[in-house]
Amino acid sequence: MRLNPRLLATDAPPIPAAAAWRAAYDGRHGPLLDLAQAVPGLPPPDALLERLARAARDPASATYGPITGDAALRDALAADIAATYGAAVTPAEVAITSGCNEAFTVTALALAGPGDAVMLPAPWYFNHKMTLDMMGVAAVPLPCRAEAGFVPSVDEARALLTPATRAIVLVSPNNPTGATYPAAVLAAFAALAREAGIALVVDETYRDFLPDGHGRPHGLFADPAWRDTVIQLYSFSKSYAVPGHRLGAVVAGAAVLAEIAKVLDCVTICPPRVAQAAVAWAVEGTRAWRAEVRAAVNRRAALFAEVVAASPGWSVSAMGAYFAFVRHPFAAPGLAVAERLAREAGVVALPGSFFGPGQDDHLRFAFANAGEGQIAAVAARLAVLGAG
């Protein structure tokens, strides 16, 4: 049979590529340290697990729900946004999705079609690029450079605008680099998008892991005109340690959400109801637990930075939330270095090339799922490969 040529031309998912490297490690340096995928390092709290079980036993959870999500979770997220950003967002401006990847896909379908263009920060999150490739939408790289802390430039974005551009996508804290974009930079991008008559899509999957004292992630929702330009994507997966339950969200003006709802009705009809019921309670009910998890993740980040700093030839170019984007000391491409690191030293990381061209001198480490003892062990594992 004939298959969609756009799909055939789309890269395969990168995470499974590391499976063969893991299998080849013989354990000589101790247990495998898998730092390839962004996985929560702790299970959900017992109170959330109990509510998930209770909701699963409720026959109402087995029925269809509203296309854009149950009212209780939309209410809870709207209130959480108001507390986090100091600006009111109504539940009618929230759509719950089956994970943040779906949030991006339905948003992209609402904004662009074949022949259009969307800017992605480069290095990019590979699922964003894959989605646009499948749709026939040009993914225009918006360069983010190590010397600038991997924060994109508004001036470079302005120079890349064409009549085909339909949106600029930003990810902060960033996957893969961990870079957090300053509020002033996000405001400048919103102004550019408004000036150009396009959307600014801000993926804030990891915003709940900003360090204590960081302050509000941005002030975009404080602008009464945000609904004409800004679309926020969010994920419950990491913050509530429920990635298998697939819950994300889109926050946008009502007119945009009406179009997104058409896509959601064709894709999932409604998001998972068991998880919605439990997480609606968890938004307030686990706030103290989530603060503890955030603190633990930031301790792990600090320790990982120390480990890399003590490893000759290796250096952190950017880090934050779950990720460190690390420059390796070898002349070989990142793919070869990542494979060696897994097979010979038992540490699985992803090469920078998985996140776009020009990143061969970096590896991405997702350290949030590793305990502090495991992170400390990384130094000896890096030394196995030498210093280049």
Side-chain angles (χ1 to χ4, degrees):
M1 67 181 72
R2 298 179 185 177
L3 297 177
N4 182 343
R6 290 190 184 119
L7 188 59
L8 292 172
T10 299
D11 290 339
I15 294 292
W21 311 341
R22 290 194 293 266
Y25 174 59
D26 62 9
R28 73 183 75 174
H29 300 292
L32 183 80
L33 303 178
D34 194 343
L35 308 181
Q37 190 170 18
V39 179
L42 294 170
D46 287 343
L48 177 51
L49 290 172
E50 290 167 5
R51 282 169 172 78
L52 286 165
R54 192 182 310 157
R57 291 192 298 268
D58 183 353
S61 296
T63 64
Y64 286 126
I67 293 171
T68 56
D70 290 345
L73 184 52
R74 292 165 64 201
D75 289 348
L77 183 57
D80 183 63
I81 289 170
T84 301
Y85 299 91
V89 167
T90 70
E93 293 162 339
V94 175
I96 305 301
T97 61
S98 297
C100 197
N101 270 7
E102 182 180 74
F104 178 81
T105 299
V106 299
T107 298
L109 281 165
L111 294 174
D116 291 331
V118 169
M119 277 189 223
L120 294 182
W124 47 57
Y125 173 47
F126 44 72
N127 284 143
H128 288 173
K129 173 65 159 53
M130 291 169 66
T131 296
L132 297 179
D133 288 347
M134 292 176 194
M135 291 172 52
V137 174
V140 178
L142 174 58
C144 301
R145 299 179 175 86
E147 57 268 26
F150 287 100
V151 175
S153 160
V154 174
D155 290 336
E156 284 196 82
R158 181 178 285 105
L160 291 169
L161 289 171
T162 72
T165 307
R166 301 300 299 271
I168 300 170
V169 175
L170 300 179
V171 183
S172 178
N174 187 260
N175 180 4
T177 66
T180 298
Y181 304 163
V185 170
L186 292 168
F189 270 98
L192 173 62
R194 185 176 299 111
E195 172 191 325
I198 62 176
L200 175 66
V201 180
V202 185
D203 184 330
E204 294 187 82
T205 292
Y206 297 95
R207 58 99 161 156
D208 291 329
F209 300 98
L210 293 170
D212 289 337
H214 182 275
R216 289 174 177 154
H218 56 72
L220 300 183
F221 292 129
D223 181 350
W226 73 264
R227 297 163 182 84
D228 298 328
T229 303
V230 175
I231 300 174
Q232 184 206 50
L233 310 183
Y234 179 69
S235 173
F236 298 92
S237 296
K238 310 303 190 300
S239 301
Y240 298 83
V242 289
H245 285 284
R246 310 312 303 135
L247 281 185
V250 180
V251 180
V256 176
L257 280 191
E259 301 309 309
I260 285 174
K262 296 177 185 176
V263 187
L264 287 170
D265 188 45
C266 293
V267 178
T268 49
I269 299 180
C270 67
R273 303 201 72 199
V274 168
Q276 287 186 82
V279 173
W281 164 84
V283 172
E284 279 302 320
T286 65
R287 195 170 290 280
W289 174 83
R290 286 184 286 127
E292 293 172 2
V293 172
R294 180 179 68 248
V297 169
N298 281 286
R299 285 195 302 271
R300 293 173 185 185
L303 178 58
F304 191 85
E306 292 175 7
V307 165
V308 175
S311 300
W314 297 79
S315 61
V316 173
S317 294
M319 72 182 311
Y322 272 43
F323 306 111
F325 212 54
V326 177
R327 192 184 300 275
H328 65 76
F330 302 97
L335 181 62
V337 176
E339 185 170 357
R340 276 194 65 205
L341 186 62
R343 292 177 181 270
E344 299 176 21
V347 177
V348 188
L350 297 184
S353 57
F354 280 7
F355 305 95
Q359 307 301 326
D360 262 334
D361 53 353
H362 282 84
L363 303 182
R364 189 201 75 175
F365 292 84
F367 51 76
N369 68 318
E372 293 183 17
Q374 293 172 307
I375 292 173
V378 170
R381 305 292 185 93
L382 295 181
V384 170
L385 270 64

